[in-house]
């Protein structure tokens, strides 16, 4: 056998392997094609279009009037209204996320106990999952009513002056945050409860044999073993808080005096109330970068404390 014959024989398996890998890749892409099309239409294209609009003066109907470069971003950095909006956004996240996680974890721990009739309470705790944003915000709109609301009636019976929950700039943001916490508890509760039920009971039995009490088992077994789920819930809670819109639109419409005008609502106002689509697009890109940076920080810091089995 000559060297040329051996080279031909050696290249044939390589070509067959290449063709089989190419065929496998093509088959995989065919399965992914529907998802890629949907992502391209509803995610990638809007992001690219928003970035494009942020560099132009865009009027009503998406009509481009001219190129403005970085002017929108420069205006944002020097805008007191936008800086106030950013401050309100971060305060809103600070109000909602810790309270959501703590309450959801507390309810999930209670619901994971083997008690008679606990299934009823699990249903109650997760019921907010079936309430739409509009319905939930409307419920709290009645609860916050200055004269007829349940909350002020309770305060009156306790001898405390009533609070203008939605019309006082000191209370408005907290009131919307409280509504958001109530609306998000359902989904966080279900995820955390699922994580608790996946923890091996053998760990608790071994800890009991060693004489570990309830609180020792909670902080030495439950929380560490639940850390991956807590990490996931924290990320989606932060992103959800940054993207809050519906309850603000129904309860306060960004008021009073811009106290609840967080970035998402500011984007909506600039685009659909004032027709400044270019300026609104610049705000949307800034919000995207903020969420991206916060998520990266969460992964860099939070994932180090996550205990994977």
């Amino acid at each position: 056998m000559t060297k040329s014959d051996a080279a031909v024989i050696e290249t044939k398996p390589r070509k067959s392997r290449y063709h089989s890998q190419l065929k496998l890749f093509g088959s995989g892409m065919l399965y992914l094609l529907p998802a890629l099309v949907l992502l391209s239409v509803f995610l990638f294209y809007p992001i690219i279009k928003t970035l494009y609009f942020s560099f132009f003066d865009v009027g009503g109907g998406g009509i481009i009037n001219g190129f403005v470069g970085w002017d929108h971003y420069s205006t944002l950095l020097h805008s007191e209204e936008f800086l106030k909006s950013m401050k309100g956004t971060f305060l809103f996240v600070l109000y909602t996320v810790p309270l959501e996680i703590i309450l959801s974890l507390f309810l999930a721990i209670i619901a994971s106990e083997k008690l008679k009739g606990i299934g009823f309470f699990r249903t109650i705790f997760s019921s907010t999952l079936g309430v739409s944003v509009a319905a939930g915000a409307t419920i709290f709109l009645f609860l916050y009513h200055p004269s007829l609301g349940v909350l002020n009636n309770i305060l009156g019976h306790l001898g405390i002056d009533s609070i203008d929950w939605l019309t006082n700039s000191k209370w408005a943001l907290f009131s919307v945050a409280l509504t958001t916490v109530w609306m998000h508890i359902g989904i966080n509760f279900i995820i955390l409860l699922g994580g608790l039920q996946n923890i091996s009971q053998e760990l608790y039995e071994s800890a009991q044999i060693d004489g570990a009490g309830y609180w020792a088992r909670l902080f030495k077994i439950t929380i560490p073993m639940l850390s991956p789920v807590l990490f996931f819930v924290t990320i989606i809670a932060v992103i959800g808080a940054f993207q809050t819109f519906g309850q603000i639109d129904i309860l306060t419409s960004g008021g009073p005096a811009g106290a609840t005008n967080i970035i998402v609502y500011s984007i909506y106002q600039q685009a659909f109330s004032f027709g400044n689509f270019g300026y609104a697009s610049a705000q949307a890109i800034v919000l995207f970068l903020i969420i991206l940076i916060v998520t990266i920080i969460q992964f860099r810091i939070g994932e180090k404390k996550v205990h994977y089995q």
Side-chain angles (χ1 to χ4, degrees), residues 154-301:
I154 294 174
L155 292 178
H157 287 298
L158 296 175
I160 302 173
D161 294 335
S162 62
I163 297 173
D164 297 327
W165 297 98
L166 300 176
T167 56
N168 188 327
S169 58
K170 295 181 179 179
W171 286 97
L173 188 65
F174 177 77
S175 301
V176 177
L178 194 62
T179 306
T180 304
V181 169
W182 179 81
M183 293 170 61
H184 290 177
I185 278 179
I187 181 63
N188 294 331
F189 164 77
I190 289 176
I191 296 173
L192 290 172
L193 181 61
L196 286 171
Q197 292 178 341
N198 284 329
I199 299 176
S200 175
Q201 293 300 314
E202 295 178 358
L203 297 174
Y204 294 107
E205 293 171 0
S206 300
Q208 281 183 313
I209 293 173
D210 293 336
Y214 176 81
W215 295 107
R217 295 196 303 270
L218 177 64
F219 289 102
K220 298 294 184 180
I221 297 176
T222 304
I223 301 300
M225 299 302 292
L226 194 63
S227 56
V229 182
L230 281 170
F231 179 63
F232 170 74
V233 168
T234 303
I235 289 176
I236 63 172
V238 170
I239 294 175
F242 274 110
Q243 295 178 337
T244 299
F245 171 78
Q247 49 268 48
I248 290 178
D249 186 41
I250 294 173
L251 293 174
T252 62
S253 299
T260 60
N261 189 30
I262 66 174
I263 296 181
V264 170
Y265 197 78
S266 177
I267 294 170
Y268 165 77
Q269 280 190 322
Q270 291 294 333
F272 300 103
S273 297
F274 308 141
N276 300 327
F277 287 94
Y279 188 67
S281 298
Q283 286 185 321
I285 295 299
V286 171
L287 177 61
F288 169 77
L289 293 175
I290 290 173
I291 295 175
L292 179 63
I293 292 171
V294 170
T295 304
I296 291 173
I297 293 173
Q298 284 182 284
F299 270 95
R300 289 292 180 88
I301 298 175

Side-chain angles (χ1 to χ4, degrees), residues 141-153:
L141 194 62
F142 285 103
L143 292 177
Y144 290 140
H145 194 278
S147 58
L148 303 176
V150 174
L151 295 179
N152 279 337
N153 286 333

